[in-house]
Amino acid sequence: MGNGKTVLITGATRGIGKEIAISMAKVGYDVALNYRTKTDDVKNLQTEIEKFQVKCALVQGDVANFEEVEKMVKDTVEQLGKIDVLVNNAGITKDGLLMRMAKDDFEKVIDINLVGTFNVTRNVIPFMIKQKSGRVINISSVVGVTGNAGQTNYSASKAGIIGFTKSLAREVASRNILVNAVAPGFIATDMTSVLSDSVKENINTQIPLKRMGTAQDVANLVKFLASEEAAYITGQVINVDGGMVM
Ligand code: NDP
């Protein structure tokens, strides 16, 4: 049964975005799944989500492309009527030491992770202001706070998202729009599956809870931040990292 609310999730084809979509649908949100190219994956997810008797819109668009995003947001509002919650989740890595990093690899990561977050939020906020309510949840990363060798591009994008989150939270608080960032630690998805077993073991020794997180661990926090129970939380960065960063 629907709960009367809607959520738009970017990069919803797999990993954390997919899990957020399923978790939100389970508690009754109508869901808009943003995807770039993976039409089959997103159609399968749509079938899975419709089992929860909520609406599920498929909205294509590369978050790095402002015009595509503009259309994507319009499509969402046309199909679902409104956007109550926006989850900026789409993201990529292109790791390498700065000494060897091509300018293009720096710019690509900033363009998708940080400019992408701007593009989508910039197009959604006017609707939220009009309806005098909304939640924006940005997926940052603990490395946006701590830094990480080999990830100058990615860490800069995720630190940028934190500054963006806090500034926007101040701008729109009076409009009843709450803006927060979630900072996952190491979460088992395609993004981290490329790491070698020895790197993963080494990471686990640095995590007090001694395991990588699951996409569900992150989705649980997003679901909370979207809920009425989080009505007095804005401008925050909340880690989901098994205690890795304290
Ligand atoms: P995945 O690589 O598993 O999934 C990334 C998703 O983003 C895919 O759906 C991908 O779509 C989509 N995407 C990438 N670029 C674009 C784009 N230009 N436009 C639209 N969609 C795009 O990553 P995770 O699920 O692990 O990560 C999700 C978020 O969480 C990211 O922002 C990531 O930085 C962050 N995060 C992840 C951590 C982890 O340990 N896994 C830790 C901290 C933060 P497609 O299928 O088309 O490629």
Side-chain angles (χ1 to χ4, degrees):
M1 263 292 281
N3 69 2
K5 298 223 160 166
T6 71
V7 59
L8 166 62
I9 302 152
T10 67
T13 55
R14 54 202 167 93
I16 293 171
K18 177 180 177 180
E19 207 54 52
I20 292 170
I22 295 169
S23 293
M24 300 293 277
K26 271 188 189 163
V27 293
Y29 287 83
D30 289 335
V31 181
L33 305 173
N34 158 251
Y35 67 104
R36 277 191 295 194
T37 50
K38 301 217 167 84
T39 318
D40 287 346
D41 287 1
V42 86
K43 279 195 179 143
N44 290 337
L45 181 57
Q46 183 184 38
T47 308
E48 200 175 326
I49 281 180
E50 283 173 347
K51 288 187 186 139
F52 301 111
Q53 294 179 343
V54 296
K55 282 190 206 155
C56 182
L58 305 185
V59 290
Q60 189 171 14
D62 177 342
V63 296
N65 181 317
F66 193 87
E67 285 70 35
E68 284 185 33
V69 169
E70 207 171 6
K71 181 173 181 307
M72 190 256 291
V73 170
K74 271 199 192 128
D75 288 348
T76 306
V77 174
E78 255 171 47
Q79 293 185 59
L80 300 184
K82 58 177 181 161
I83 302 173
D84 294 303
V85 182
L86 164 64
V87 184
N88 283 306
N89 165 78
I92 61 161
T93 51
K94 281 192 181 292
D95 296 353
L97 296 173
L98 181 88
M99 280 285 288
R100 288 196 286 268
M101 189 177 287
K103 185 162 177 276
D104 189 54
D105 286 347
F106 191 85
E107 288 178 347
K108 267 250 156 59
V109 170
I110 298 287
D111 264 1
I112 293 179
N113 298 6
L114 181 57
V115 182
T117 296
F118 164 80
N119 288 343
V120 184
T121 311
R122 174 66 184 81
N123 279 289
V124 168
I125 279 286
F127 290 103
M128 290 184 168
I129 287 183
K130 223 175 187 176
Q131 75 197 18
K132 298 192 177 69
S133 71
R135 302 283 169 94
V136 178
I137 302 165
N138 297 322
I139 309 298
S140 177
S141 165
V142 291
V143 305
V145 176
T146 63
N148 192 24
Q151 291 196 310
T152 50
N153 49 1
Y154 183 76
S155 302
S157 74
K158 295 299 184 179
I161 286 175
I162 292 173
F164 177 88
T165 300
K166 292 180 181 181
S167 301
L168 183 64
R170 290 180 187 278
E171 283 185 25
V172 297
S174 63
R175 310 300 184 103
N176 191 30
I177 300 168
L178 312 185
V179 189
N180 290 289
V182 168
F186 279 92
I187 309 299
T189 66
D190 292 346
M191 188 175 271
T192 47
S193 67
V194 294
L195 302 172
S196 70
D197 284 347
S198 68
V199 169
K200 282 188 198 156
E201 270 165 37
N202 186 37
I203 289 168
N204 282 344
T205 64
Q206 292 163 36
I207 302 173
L209 292 180
K210 296 285 174 236
R211 65 167 176 91
M212 287 179 85
T214 62
Q216 183 70 63
D217 290 323
V218 181
N220 289 341
L221 176 58
V222 171
K223 192 170 60 182
F224 169 69
L225 286 173
S227 75
E228 272 316 302
E229 280 148 26
Y232 199 53
I233 303 174
T234 195
Q236 302 306 305
V237 184
I238 306 178
N239 291 7
V240 196
D241 66 353
M244 192 169 71
V245 176
M246 296 187 188

